[in-house]
Amino acid sequence: MLPGAFDQGRSPDQAEFGTGVPAARTVTPDGDVILLVSGESAAARAAAYAQDDDLTAVIEITDVAPVSVAHRIRGRAWLAGWLTQVRGDDRAACAALLAERRPVGELLGLYGRPSYVMLRLEVGEISVDDLWGAEHVDPEELAAAEPDPMVDHETELLQHLAAAHRDRIADLCALLGPRESAGTTAVPLALDRLGLRVRFTGGGSSFDARFDFPAPVRDVCELRRAMHTLFAAAGR
């Protein structure tokens, strides 16, 4: 998390504020980001010191592929806005939201020793640079977004596909038309409700290909059927 002079449309003048992963995080229906962090963290101390003054900050999120592949970073996102400590009546509501979406034992520390505190980032600007390209995202889109149903399963599923079905993943190259596939290795790189992204490597170069499912999947059972459809199409 980085502080700095924040202004719409330009990058903050940033200095190191704190690194690491919060114990839990979630997004409110209004699009605010709620973070559960150690009370001894630099972010918690700065927010407590600022009281009601504006404290500008940027959250940097790095998405790393959970499989062994070159250039594993799939994307980065920057959420810039104003950071405050959650206080008063809001604490119970935010704690309930965190417990519902990301249950963690650290929430118990909120009402005993002040070992963990909740911070709120009121988001004003979002930038994303990922496998699909770089763009700005409207904070209202963050508020309206729903978690992808595959998000809690993606790591396990990609690792399983890479370990047990890499030959069948490589066969998907046949769906790409007249490409040279001899000697090509394939690693499943990303998975969501809409499809599978695979990185093909061979002949000293690599490329990514996206394989869309016939319809968005809602659970692992539908995903299994969608994958069987892809494999069957590649084997024709």
Side-chain angles (χ1 to χ4, degrees), residues 180-228:
E180 178 59 52
S181 59
T184 296
T185 61
V187 179
L189 187 67
L191 177 69
D192 57 44
R193 71 185 186 280
L194 300 177
L196 174 72
R197 183 176 289 268
V198 178
R199 178 160 297 164
F200 294 95
T201 303
S205 63
S206 64
F207 64 91
D208 290 356
R210 171 86 175 180
F211 300 93
D212 292 332
F213 298 143
V217 299
R218 294 169 294 183
D219 53 39
V220 174
C221 290
E222 290 188 3
L223 172 67
R224 187 177 295 112
R225 290 194 291 270
M227 291 299 302
H228 285 165

Side-chain angles (χ1 to χ4, degrees), residues 45-169:
R45 294 197 302 269
Y49 180 79
Q51 294 294 323
D52 296 325
D53 294 336
D54 286 341
L55 177 64
T56 56
V58 177
I59 297 175
E60 179 177 346
I61 302 170
T62 302
D63 177 28
V64 180
V67 291
S68 179
V69 63
H71 311 297
R72 290 180 62 188
I73 294 179
R74 301 186 297 192
R76 287 189 172 92
W78 297 265
L79 288 72
W82 299 270
L83 192 70
T84 56
Q85 186 170 331
V86 178
R87 299 186 180 91
D89 295 340
D90 285 345
R91 296 179 78 239
C94 290
L97 188 61
L98 280 170
E100 175 187 351
R101 297 184 178 177
R102 289 289 183 268
V104 291
E106 286 82 354
L107 284 168
L108 298 176
L110 288 172
Y111 299 102
R113 296 175 56 194
S115 55
Y116 287 86
V117 298
M118 285 182 293
L119 303 179
R120 180 195 305 272
L121 183 77
E122 181 185 350
V123 179
E125 182 179 344
I126 304 171
S127 297
V128 175
D129 185 356
D130 59 17
L131 297 171
W132 289 264
E135 63 178 327
H136 288 281
V137 178
D138 193 310
E140 293 182 358
E141 294 182 66
L142 175 65
E146 293 289 336
D148 190 284
M150 294 295 102
V151 68
D152 291 330
H153 309 287
E154 186 197 26
T155 294
E156 178 183 359
L157 290 170
L158 287 179
Q159 291 174 348
H160 172 72
L161 288 171
H165 301 288
R166 186 166 295 200
D167 55 342
R168 303 195 71 181
I169 296 296

